[in-house]
Structures are given as structure tokens and as C-alpha cells.
Amino acid sequence: MVAFFASQTTETTPEMPLPRGAADATRLGLFTFTLYSMLAENPAVTYRQLGQAILQAYSGNNRTRPTPLFEGDLDRPVFGMSNADRIAQWAIRVDGNALEIPAGMLHRVSPGAKLAILSSPGATLDQTLGYLEVTAARNLTSRVVPVAHEGLPVIAVADIPLGAYARLTEVSIGFELVVARPQDEAVDYSEEVALLNAALDRIAGDEQVPVNLRFVGVRDDADVKLAVMSEQEVARLVAAQADGPEAGRAALAAEPRVWLLPPSAELSLDDGRRAPSLSLAGATADEIAGKLAENLVTMFRATSLSRLSAASDFSPDQFSVGFSIKRQETGGTEPLPPGVVPVVHPGDQVHLETRNGTSRPIDINVLYIGSDYSIGHMYAERLHSGNEITVPLLEFTSSSFGIERMVVVLSEAAPQTPVEDLSFLEQVGVRQQSRAAGAGTAGFGDLLRDVAGAPATRGAARIGDSSRSKGSVMIFPMETLPRG
């Protein structure tokens, strides 16, 4: 569903004779008239582009109020039934000869990225006026300069039209995922280990896979440690570490699997703690690379988001963000103090409290990074000067346990711009492929399609559904544990 709103709840929606100045003008709602006008100019746009065009039209008419709002699956084509690739684009800010866009490392924009200059949000790439390259990127903003690219010469800053947009066309990957290769090939599964290493080389050499990998040895520190063993062998290791009985062997598979372990190399077969793994039985290096790449990209995106520097351009008296935990067992609430990693359990809730003490509107987004590398977009809101909000934000589930993080992003909003929406960062966690590749009549490709259709699970669920400027990124870690 997509919803367009003509104003916020504190604003009125104007009606007037439109088109302005026309002899036969009819009294119409400004928002509806503008929406139809922008759609008539270019019907082949996404809902997000249409919303941006409406706000641009308001700004061009010097309207600072009301502020239309847009929610839902905005990256679908207008009145279309199929998903479209997200169009990442931002208004270009000109400050003398300096250029900036309100997007940075958080938006996967890093130095070296290329952006097309377009005269309007709904323009197509064949209408590109020139190109920009990112020279410096912070969490929320980037400096850009005109460059010659794709046969177009360097455009002069003075020739960039007012209200122009920069659309991302080439991504430069700035972070890296450190992966420890599996144990030496002189093991029981030497053939599978050799196939796995060949698959890793294919992934690293494929420029179409959006991940920057650096490989280290099996005993080196790494973000992800790979190990080849069966479920039965994992059960024996877990039992030996705990000095207790093994799990029921009958229900465990003896086939080799590749396990994607955390930096601690912790092993577990318990629900919510089990590391992701993929069956290697009967698979080729290409088949392994296809599925493994999907999980490594998921891990790369989640760890890159976790590594954003916690920084703020706001002083504490300008904008405050606080959290409290409501315990399911007692019903009581307790503040979440900074610098502490609290322990939470399924059924506990997190409530958000914010106050905007600045004179400018501020957009707030809250993201949740699960221990399974899922990313959930929990909240988005624009707070005008003096606004205070207290809302129940999320409730912990039993789908994953471990260290999980809340990421709070604050960004100063310009008048008549869409609310900063970071929902494009959402992703399901790493997925399990349980059946052996090549077993029965189903091929590996069929298994991948089965897995790709698996329902999303994450460690926290929304409670209800809402939706060089100053900015702030704050990261709050917590540990989720089962009850009892």
C-alpha cells in the first residue's frame, strides 16, 4: 500500500482557483492539482519520484506549508503491479562553487561513487545533464564535484539548474567484510573445502556482487569465520565444550555443511543461536558461490551499518533521544542508560522518547540490526520545532538471540522535502539451506528459489506501524537472551 497525505495533522490544506492566473480556473485542492500536474508531466515514475516532484513544485511556488507526507512501498511504479529497482536520488545543494548531497555512508554513498545530474526528480537517464563524483562522504552528507563521464563533459556549477537532482548510477563500496577461510584441506572434507575456496574466489572476482571481501587465515580475527563440518560434528563439539551429553544424533545430518560463524566462532544448534549454514553435498563451486554470496552480502550490509561512527552535530539541549525498556514479567519500565548493554528477553518492549528543541524540523529514523544480520526499519517521523513524541517502538521476539543494535539517525530537514526514509536498508537475516544440493529431482537453483521465498524473521517486531545539514547517528547495543 502507498498513502499520500496533503498535510500533517497540525496543518490545513488550501484550496484555490487553479491553474493560477487562468481565466477559466476552477477552485481545486492544491495538493490534488499538483499531484495530477506532476503525473501528467511524466507518468512513468515511482511513487517516491512523484512525491519528490510534488514537493519541488511547492518549493518553486514559495510554499513552506503545508508539508505533504508519503508512506508505503514508494519504490513501486505509479499504478504498477511489479516491483521496481529503488531509484536513489537526492536534491543537489549548491553553496558557492561547492556541491553537496544529503546522503552519505548510511545511504551506501562513498568516495568514488558517480551520480547523474537531472533537472527534475522524474527525469530519465537519457536526459542527464552531466555527472558528479563523490569526493568525501560522512554518515549523512557527501561532497561532490562535476566530472566528465559517459561521454558528457564536465558541467559548470553555474549551469546546474535550480532544483536539480543527483541520481546514483555507480556505487563505490567503502567498507569491507573480513572472512576467515575454512580449515586446511588436509581434513575429512578436503574436496568440499577446495570447492568452498573456489567459490569464495568466484565471489571476490565478481564485480556484480555488492560486497568488498578481504580473506584471512583460519586463526586470524575476522567478521565471519567459515568452517566445514556436519551437524553431528557440531553436536559433539558443543557437548565437549559444555561437558554434557550430545544432542540426539538421529535427528542430525552427517553431510558436510559450511557454517558461517561469528568472530567468536561460537557453535550452537539451539533455536535462535544456531549459526547459518549451507549444505555442500553434491554442489559445484558455482552453486556454492551463488548461495554463499547472498548471505555474505547480507552480513556485509549489516556489519557496515553497525560500523557507522556514532556522531552528533546536535548539542544535548537541542535534541534529546531516550529509550526505556518495559519488562513483560513486571509491566514496569526502566530507562536505557547510555554506555550500558542491557539484557532483554522475548516479550520485553522498547519505548522511544524524543524532543526537538531546535528551530528547524528534524527527521528521525530508527533501525534495528538483529544478531542474524537482519535490518528492520522501525520508525520514521518528522519532528517540527518544539515537538515531543513518546511511542512504543518494538517488542523482542524469540527468532534470534545475541548482541543486537538499535541505530538512531537524526537529520536536519529542509522545507518542502520528503521525510528521510531509510526503509530501503531493510533486509531479512541470513537464511538456511537445509536440503542437500542435487538430492532427488530438485536442482540447486530450485532450492535457492525455495529459500528466497522463505518468510522474513527478525529479532524484534514493530509495535504498530508509523512511518551540510546537522545530523546524528547513535548506536545502542543490547543482548537478547531466552527466558529462564
Side-chain angles (χ1 to χ4, degrees):
M1 188 186 77
V2 172
F4 278 33
F5 302 91
S7 69
Q8 298 195 77
T9 56
T10 57
E11 300 170 329
T12 58
T13 55
E15 294 186 358
M16 62 195 70
L18 292 168
R20 182 182 296 174
D24 58 347
T26 304
R27 190 171 183 82
L28 298 169
L30 173 65
F31 178 74
T32 304
F33 176 81
T34 306
L35 185 153
Y36 273 87
S37 299
M38 295 301 101
L39 197 54
E41 287 183 13
N42 191 350
V45 293
T46 65
Y47 289 107
R48 188 181 306 282
Q49 289 175 290
L50 179 58
Q52 291 171 333
I54 292 170
L55 292 172
Q56 188 182 55
Y58 274 41
S59 180
N61 289 326
N62 200 29
R63 284 200 167 270
T64 57
R65 298 276 185 164
T67 306
L69 297 173
F70 315 96
E71 290 185 356
D73 193 355
L74 299 177
D75 292 314
R76 285 182 178 271
V78 172
F79 301 130
M81 297 303 292
S82 60
N83 281 313
D85 291 335
R86 175 178 176 268
I87 296 178
Q89 61 182 25
W90 303 273
I92 301 172
R93 299 171 180 167
V94 182
D95 182 12
N97 285 322
L99 300 175
E100 183 183 83
I101 58 171
M105 302 297 285
L106 181 65
H107 305 83
R108 299 176 186 149
V109 174
S110 55
K114 301 287 196 309
L115 304 102
I117 303 171
L118 303 172
S119 60
S120 68
T124 55
L125 286 177
D126 59 5
Q127 299 170 304
T128 298
L129 305 175
Y131 283 88
L132 301 171
E133 182 174 325
V134 177
T135 58
R138 302 175 66 192
N139 283 342
L140 299 167
T141 58
S142 297
R143 287 285 183 178
V144 294
V145 296
V147 293
H149 187 59
E150 295 290 343
L152 292 178
V154 176
I155 187 173
V157 172
D159 293 335
I160 298 177
L162 184 67
Y165 270 67
R167 183 175 301 171
L168 187 64
T169 58
E170 289 186 14
V171 176
S172 176
I173 301 174
F175 294 99
E176 68 176 7
L177 186 73
V178 181
V179 178
R181 287 187 181 268
Q183 62 267 40
D184 296 335
E185 296 183 14
V187 295
D188 292 341
Y189 302 123
S190 58
E191 182 178 343
E192 286 81 4
V193 170
L195 282 173
L196 180 56
N197 278 316
L200 291 172
D201 292 338
R202 282 170 169 76
I203 296 170
D206 187 349
E207 295 182 354
Q208 301 303 312
V209 179
V211 62
N212 184 19
L213 298 178
R214 178 164 66 89
F215 297 116
V216 296
V218 65
R219 293 176 179 82
D220 296 324
D221 290 334
D223 301 312
V224 182
K225 295 200 168 190
L226 302 181
V228 177
M229 63 186 80
S230 68
E231 286 183 337
Q232 292 182 0
E233 289 169 313
V234 171
R236 285 197 293 269
L237 288 172
V238 171
Q241 292 170 358
D243 195 21
E246 291 185 33
R249 293 277 298 276
L252 301 177
E255 66 184 22
R257 307 179 68 83
V258 53
W259 297 79
L260 288 76
L261 305 177
S264 63
E266 177 185 357
L267 288 168
S268 176
L269 294 175
D270 295 337
D271 291 341
R273 292 180 179 272
R274 176 183 170 124
S277 64
L278 305 172
S279 174
L280 298 176
T284 66
D286 284 338
E287 291 169 338
I288 296 168
K291 184 56 194 170
L292 188 58
E294 179 186 327
N295 279 349
L296 290 177
V297 169
T298 297
M299 292 175 163
F300 172 70
R301 289 174 173 169
T303 55
S304 296
L305 180 57
S306 300
R307 286 174 180 152
L308 288 176
S309 57
S312 179
D313 295 326
F314 298 107
S315 60
D317 62 322
Q318 289 181 312
F319 201 101
S320 64
V321 177
F323 293 96
S324 59
I325 299 174
K326 183 178 181 180
R327 300 291 183 180
Q328 183 187 52
E329 290 181 329
T330 64
T333 59
E334 58 193 63
L336 174 57
V340 174
V341 181
V343 174
V344 294
H345 305 282
D348 292 344
Q349 296 180 358
V350 171
H351 292 210
L352 169 69
E353 301 172 359
T354 65
R355 178 186 62 83
N356 182 6
T358 73
S359 59
R360 298 285 300 274
I362 305 294
D363 291 342
I364 178 171
N365 278 258
V366 182
L367 300 154
Y368 187 86
I369 306 174
S371 60
D372 61 350
Y373 303 97
S374 61
I375 302 175
H377 184 246
M378 297 298 174
Y379 187 73
E381 187 72 77
R382 174 163 294 175
L383 276 70
H384 287 279
S385 178
N387 282 172
E388 296 184 15
I389 292 180
T390 300
V391 292
L393 186 64
L394 58 87
E395 181 173 309
F396 297 100
T397 70
S398 58
S399 61
S400 67
F401 298 110
I403 298 296
E404 309 195 323
R405 296 169 179 85
M406 281 190 302
V407 180
V408 180
V409 181
L410 306 177
S411 51
E412 196 171 68
Q416 296 305 348
T417 57
V419 175
E420 179 74 71
D421 179 10
L422 300 181
S423 61
F424 69 89
L425 291 170
E426 281 200 306
Q427 64 180 24
V428 297
V430 287
R431 295 160 172 167
Q432 303 279 347
Q433 183 261 316
S434 56
R435 290 172 287 176
T441 58
F444 198 82
D446 296 321
L447 298 182
L448 300 193
R449 283 187 287 274
D450 290 345
V451 174
T457 61
R458 51 175 67 103
R462 299 178 186 86
I463 301 177
D465 276 325
S466 341
S467 274
R468 184 139 106 184
S469 297
K470 288 185 177 181
S472 175
V473 174
M474 294 169 282
I475 300 176
F476 297 83
M478 56 196 64
E479 184 174 11
T480 58
L481 295 175
R483 292 192 179 276

